Amino acid sequence: MENFKSSLSNFLLRRHVVSEDHLFLRACWREDVERTPVWLMRQAGRYMQAYQEVRAQHSFLEMCRNPRLAAQVTLQPVERLGVDAAILFSDILVLVEAMGMRLEFQEGFGPRLHKPVRSMDGVDRLRVPEAEKDLAYVMEAIKLTREKLRGRVPLIGFSGAPFTLASYVIEGQSSRIFRFTKEMMFSQPEAFNALMEKITSAVIDYLNAQVRAGAQALQIFDSWVGCLAPDDYERYVLPHMQRIFASLDARGEVPVIHFANQAATFLEKVRVAGGDVIGVDWRIPLDEAWRRVGYEVGIQGNLDPLALFAPLEEIERRVRDILDKAGSRPGHIFNLGHGVHKDTPEEKVVALVKMVKKLSAR
Ligand code: CP3
């Protein structure tokens, strides 16, 4: 009876949280919706004129560190595109910076982390930050964004996943083959694991703090995990992912999207790792992906971002195809399979969101 009462009150609590909103949150919980919600990874970014205007005055990291600018830019796609969720304007690498590494974004090069970590000594020098204090500017940006949104759409907070963050910590920059990451994984497994443990602890505290600040959903980006063999994913990554999902204070109340890029060959393992919604890229048909992860989780995706360079008729054909593959099953959130490319024509992005809304109306 006690058990029943507590699960009933949990249910009512969650319903209460959910019911004041929001197509997107309802879809995350696989509830019935009037149409498919849509938002886009990197929806705030360089393809957008309004973003460029702010960016001309400030560096990218200045924008991340200034809550007023971060909130302003977070709202741009809500107003311009009419997406069903906002995502905090920040970067996955600010967490690594708070762990003690020096971070720079170099024009035309991307992120650079100084003194990459390639041994146990390096791991020992990193610290697990206290997000509320050390990343206070992120928490401020969340609070301010929630105020400015005034309940129009929910706000998604996010973190990089441990493997993706570790790859930057070890390589010191973006990579294609992850030579140093895999070298450390295969030849110093203890040091690699200690690094993953430390990053995992940092991610857990960071995500919990974001929820306390007002994030209404979370996405974990495992952008580069697709470079791994399935066995290596299972052995070196999956246990850390499970610890994250088990350690989120708001599990069951704040939905978590687990985006694992290029992981189609081991999607079942991604599902075992956790998440209320699994985000997939375009390299697998959406129906096959959903069947493989099972219908007890939602699915997010999965238009090829480069399809937005095609004529409108071709975009529409592909949108219809994805919506068909999702069927009328509750739990689909429309998104791209990765971030909006910076050269994408802005009007195509506007058209895409309109199309999804129109074509998915039940
Ligand atoms: O999605 C959003 O609109 C929210 C903001 C957001 C950014 N980065 C803004 C950004 C999010 C969620 C991220 C996450 C992020 N950052 C990831 C995971 C998602 C993914 O794309 O796989 C990764 C791997 C990073 C690291 C990163 N940040 C790289 C590799 C780059 C350079 C990319 C490039 O095209 O030059 C960034 C920079 C970055 N992050 C920009 C933006 C808007 C461009 C910065 C600029 O204005 O110069």
Side-chain angles (χ1 to χ4, degrees):
M1 191 61 195
E2 272 314 298
N3 256 346
F4 172 74
K5 268 194 201 153
S6 93
S7 56
L8 182 68
S9 73
N10 273 344
F11 176 75
L12 293 175
L13 186 71
R14 208 199 79 210
R15 281 298 314 169
H16 172 73
V17 174
V18 172
S19 59
E20 64 185 85
D21 33 39
H22 288 311
L23 212 53
F24 165 76
L25 294 174
R26 275 157 46 212
C28 288
W29 295 120
R30 290 172 293 115
E31 293 171 15
D32 280 321
V33 285
E34 311 81 76
R35 62 168 175 80
T36 305
V38 50
W39 71 278
L40 308 173
M41 292 186 268
R42 286 276 168 91
Q43 62 190 16
R46 286 165 293 184
Y47 74 94
M48 199 181 273
Q49 181 64 38
Y51 176 89
Q52 293 284 9
E53 282 163 20
V54 181
R55 182 70 172 80
Q57 308 293 321
H58 305 275
S59 75
F60 171 61
L61 277 176
E62 265 168 44
M63 289 166 65
C64 293
R65 289 180 188 131
N66 180 325
R68 187 182 58 79
L69 294 175
Q72 179 187 347
V73 171
T74 303
L75 260 70
Q76 287 174 349
V78 174
E79 282 157 9
R80 176 83 172 102
L81 310 175
V83 281
D84 296 302
I87 180 162
L88 165 71
F89 186 81
S90 186
D91 197 83
I92 59 168
L93 297 176
V94 300
L95 180 61
V96 171
E97 181 180 49
M99 293 181 79
M101 294 184 82
R102 187 149 84 80
L103 170 65
E104 267 185 302
F105 279 87
Q106 291 173 353
E107 217 54 65
F109 180 83
R112 189 189 285 286
L113 288 159
H114 293 253
K115 302 199 182 145
V117 169
R118 293 178 186 166
S119 67
M120 193 61 105
D121 273 359
V123 177
D124 287 339
R125 277 194 291 273
L126 294 176
R127 55 191 206 92
V128 176
E130 241 178 89
E132 227 128 65
K133 187 165 111 262
D134 299 317
L135 290 156
Y137 65 88
V138 175
M139 307 310 145
E140 281 310 308
I142 291 174
K143 287 176 197 156
L144 194 58
T145 306
R146 280 294 304 274
E147 279 172 32
K148 288 182 138 203
L149 278 169
R150 295 173 184 281
R152 274 175 286 176
V153 294
L155 177 63
I156 305 170
F158 69 87
S159 172
F163 178 80
T164 291
L165 293 174
S167 80
Y168 281 101
V169 168
I170 298 166
E171 304 290 333
Q173 61 184 69
S174 299
S175 174
R176 278 192 29 221
I177 63 164
F178 302 92
R179 172 226 188 285
F180 293 106
T181 307
K182 290 189 183 181
E183 180 176 44
M184 191 167 166
M185 185 185 255
F186 299 149
S187 60
Q188 305 179 70
E190 280 169 25
F192 181 82
N193 193 60
L195 176 60
M196 290 288 282
E197 283 278 341
K198 225 169 195 176
I199 295 175
T200 298
S201 299
V203 166
I204 291 167
D205 178 62
Y206 188 40
L207 291 173
N208 281 332
Q210 289 186 38
V211 171
R212 287 193 295 274
Q216 292 153 291
L218 297 169
Q219 176 155 317
I220 300 176
F221 287 90
D222 218 345
S223 301
W224 310 135
V225 78
C227 73
L228 293 178
D231 282 350
D232 291 324
Y233 178 81
E234 187 160 326
R235 179 149 161 212
Y236 296 105
V237 176
L238 193 147
H240 302 284
M241 296 303 291
Q242 284 182 321
R243 180 155 79 91
I244 295 177
F245 292 105
S247 308
L248 294 177
D249 297 331
R251 57 189 183 283
E253 287 167 39
V254 169
V256 188
I257 304 166
H258 179 182
F259 171 64
N261 187 32
Q262 291 210 47
T265 58
F266 53 88
L267 263 189
E268 293 81 358
K269 296 183 200 298
V270 171
R271 159 74 168 105
V272 168
D276 301 299
V277 177
I278 304 296
V280 291
D281 65 78
W282 63 94
R283 298 168 186 89
I284 179 168
L286 191 88
D287 50 352
E288 186 187 329
W290 210 350
R291 181 169 49 70
R292 281 179 46 200
V293 296
Y295 302 119
E296 302 76 35
V297 288
I299 196 105
Q300 176 175 277
N302 70 340
L303 183 71
D304 183 342
L306 276 295
L308 290 172
F309 291 86
L312 283 176
E313 311 78 71
E314 177 62 16
I315 299 174
E316 178 167 332
R317 198 184 64 72
R318 286 164 182 259
V319 168
R320 282 184 194 278
D321 183 53
I322 290 169
L323 293 172
D324 280 352
K325 287 188 158 69
S328 42
R329 184 175 278 116
H332 177 218
I333 293 143
F334 196 102
N335 205 312
L336 304 176
H338 205 170
V340 183
H341 187 279
K342 67 178 171 54
D343 300 332
T344 311
E346 185 169 341
E347 67 280 3
K348 294 281 182 61
V349 186
V350 174
L352 169 69
V353 172
K354 268 208 188 110
M355 242 178 236
V356 175
K357 289 181 170 180
K358 187 178 111 219
L359 297 174
S360 70
R362 316 259 199 269

